[in-house]
Amino acid sequence: MSAQHIAQARTTAVVLAGGTGQRVGLSIPKQLLKIAGKAVIEHTLSIFEQADCIDDIIVLMAPGYVPDVEKIVAKAGLTKVVKVIEGGSTRNETTERAIAALGEGLAEGEDRNVLFHDAVRPLLSQRVIKDCVDALERYQAVDVAIPSADTIIVTRTHGGDGEFITDVPDRSRLRRGQTPQAFKLSTIRRAYEIAAGDPNFQATDDCSVVLKYLPDVPIYVVAGDEYNMKVTQPVDVFIADKLFQLASTAVPQPTDDAAYRDLLTGKTLVVFGGSYGIGADIASLAESYGATVYALGRSTTGTHVENPEHIDDALSKAYADTGRIDYVVNTAGVLRIGRLAETDNATIQEALNVNYLAPVQIARASHKYLAETKGQLLLYTSSSYTRGRAEYSLYSSTKAAMVNLTQALADEWANEGVRVNCVNPERTATPMRTKAFGEEPAGTLLSSEAVARTSLDVLLSEMTGHVIDVRQQDPTRGASEASGFEQALAAVLDRQADV
């Protein structure tokens, strides 16, 4: 590959963050508003930071707030962000400043790819980014859009009588534009140079500038997705926050046996709830790949997770024996079915102690060990965390708490390199489930071994703060055939029926 080709292939993400937040009713720019524990712009920048096809990032921030973004970038360790500069008073002026910054240091004749993205679209998928970059191999301008589910009407105002319909365009040809919008730098620069000579120049997006001033340049359209929403109105803040809460992450790709052995040999894994079911299977699997495993349970080692002293003793012993603790897993739980009004105090206390207080104590006691190894804490939730079920009020509410605990601790411990994740298995064949529901039809439940295998993949990944769904594959349709939004929607709908 030639040096010239490498230079042409370089891709920069330009995050446009010049909005003031007035429509959301804020005194600060909406991109600094916190959603799911982080500023909106941090979520957006992290997406591009993780994208393999993005080389660097430039941020155009609202005047007066550049230092705020610089602090976010430094704290989050966003190494691809190379510049944070003030945006202009309009979207067009902000783009012009970005174009000027992108041209600095380029050799004569050198070009690059550039993706302009709204900072307040924090749910952009990696698929859309890759599709845009891939499309720039053939086209000079690329837009992202989705079909319009609503009928679009054209209106006019008639005096003081209000608006009246003048046209109803064919919905099948209408699309809702999103970002990023991607260009060859030379193309978008040329479009703005021509536009500068138009005294009536005005545009709300960059593709329209190319369309008007470079009409011979085709603008390719990449399929967007419904999740790629823009946080503009007050209701958008609420919706985005809920989407972050419910969003689940794809299962990490499994590795081969040799890689498992390489990654686990010499590591120490402590499993609470390791007597049977998922916990026992994780312990057995990790041990087979060379890890030193401490599988702890009420019926095997006499370890009661609701007793903080038992937790401390178990962790202290593992550390004294091996000099390290790399992974701590908690699969312990109790499932009691019944109407809350008819539940006695002892049952309520048991559910709170085992399903909520025990994970809290395990997390607190594990922290100092995991901080040494930059290890991971793995918790478990249930599909009922998205919506409580009648007669499962204690179980489902404590499982919802596990998701919040995971997300909070992932942020709290991020600077120390400690990862925290949460596995959300579909209905799984475990002794606890059999005790609660009896025998169920074969093939309707996940095996505990399958959940254990995925759990091991999560432990060996660099993920943190994620909820990872483990579901049975539909044999008639592979996961790769469904869009990310379809998969997420299907998962949410399935959870309404699962326990």
Side-chain angles (χ1 to χ4, degrees), residues 9-22:
R10 189 166 187 82
T11 301
T12 299
V14 175
V15 175
L16 302 170
T20 61
Q22 291 179 346

Side-chain angles (χ1 to χ4, degrees), residues 6 9 17 26 41 55 58 61 103 113 117 138 154 171 178 183 197 210-211 264 267 298 358 368 375 391 414 457 463:
I6 293 173
L26 298 171
I41 194 170
D55 296 298
I58 294 176
M61 186 58 189
N113 299 332
H117 185 66
R138 294 186 60 193
V154 179
R171 189 175 70 185
Q178 299 182 332
F183 309 92
V210 173
L211 182 67
L264 285 168
K267 300 296 176 63
R298 183 189 301 259
K368 63 182 180 182
E391 300 191 2
D457 291 331
M463 308 165 62

Side-chain angles (χ1 to χ4, degrees), residues 15 41-49 57 59 73 78 81:
V15 175
I41 194 170
E42 182 177 343
H43 287 295
T44 305
L45 292 174
S46 295
I47 293 166
F48 288 108
E49 179 81 18
I57 305 166
V59 182
V73 168
L78 300 170
V81 179

Side-chain angles (χ1 to χ4, degrees), residues 389-401:
R389 313 280 200 274
E391 300 191 2
Y392 303 96
S393 57
L394 293 173
Y395 186 74
S396 59
S397 59
T398 55
K399 289 303 178 181

Side-chain angles (χ1 to χ4, degrees), residues 45-266:
L45 292 174
S46 295
I47 293 166
F48 288 108
E49 179 81 18
Q50 295 161 14
D52 292 338
C53 54
I54 298 297
D55 296 298
D56 46 38
I57 305 166
I58 294 176
V59 182
L60 278 294
M61 186 58 189
Y65 291 94
V66 167
D68 297 83
V69 177
E70 289 175 337
K71 289 176 184 176
I72 289 171
V73 168
K75 184 177 179 181
L78 300 170
T79 59
K80 289 185 181 180
V81 179
V82 294
K83 289 182 182 177
V84 182
I85 57 181
E86 283 196 353
S89 58
T90 65
R91 168 64 180 266
N92 300 143
E93 186 181 342
T94 298
T95 298
E96 288 170 347
R97 291 189 181 188
I99 291 170
L102 288 164
E104 294 174 2
L106 284 185
E108 185 176 350
E110 184 180 352
D111 208 351
R112 70 165 64 189
N113 299 332
V114 55
L115 276 64
F116 292 101
H117 185 66
D118 297 326
V120 288
R121 292 185 185 271
L123 289 156
L124 174 66
S125 71
Q126 295 293 334
R127 191 271 303 169
V128 170
I129 295 173
K130 186 176 186 305
D131 284 356
C132 286
V133 175
D134 288 348
L136 286 175
E137 294 181 6
R138 294 186 60 193
Y139 304 99
Q140 299 175 53
V142 178
D143 202 355
V144 173
I146 57 175
S148 175
D150 298 315
T151 295
I152 305 299
I153 61 174
V154 179
T155 68
R156 65 177 175 83
T157 302
H158 183 55
D161 294 333
E163 290 185 296
F164 296 84
I165 293 177
T166 60
D167 192 19
V168 182
D170 179 4
R171 189 175 70 185
S172 67
R173 300 188 62 188
L174 296 176
R175 299 292 182 268
R176 290 160 49 201
Q178 299 182 332
T179 64
Q181 293 183 329
F183 309 92
K184 292 295 184 183
L185 177 58
S186 57
T187 300
I188 191 66
R189 179 195 285 134
R190 180 61 181 152
Y192 269 89
E193 287 172 351
I194 297 171
D198 181 354
N200 299 314
F201 171 51
Q202 186 176 357
T204 57
D205 74 295
D206 299 309
C207 279
S208 64
V209 179
V210 173
L211 182 67
K212 182 173 182 179
Y213 298 103
L214 295 176
D216 294 333
V217 173
I219 303 173
Y220 181 75
V221 179
V222 161
D225 62 51
E226 293 285 353
Y227 258 142
N228 190 17
M229 64 175 291
K230 188 176 183 180
V231 179
T232 303
Q233 304 295 337
V235 69
D236 299 332
V237 177
F238 173 80
I239 293 170
D241 198 59
K242 287 300 176 186
L243 287 174
F244 270 109
Q245 182 185 31
L246 298 179
S248 59
T249 301
V251 175
Q253 287 298 310
T255 186
D256 58 33
D257 286 354
Y260 280 126
R261 290 191 185 92
D262 185 54
L263 291 168
L264 285 168
T265 298

Side-chain angles (χ1 to χ4, degrees), residues 397-414:
S397 59
T398 55
K399 289 303 178 181
M402 289 306 96
V403 173
N404 284 279
L405 182 63
T406 295
Q407 293 167 338
L409 291 181
D411 285 347
E412 195 172 311
W413 296 352

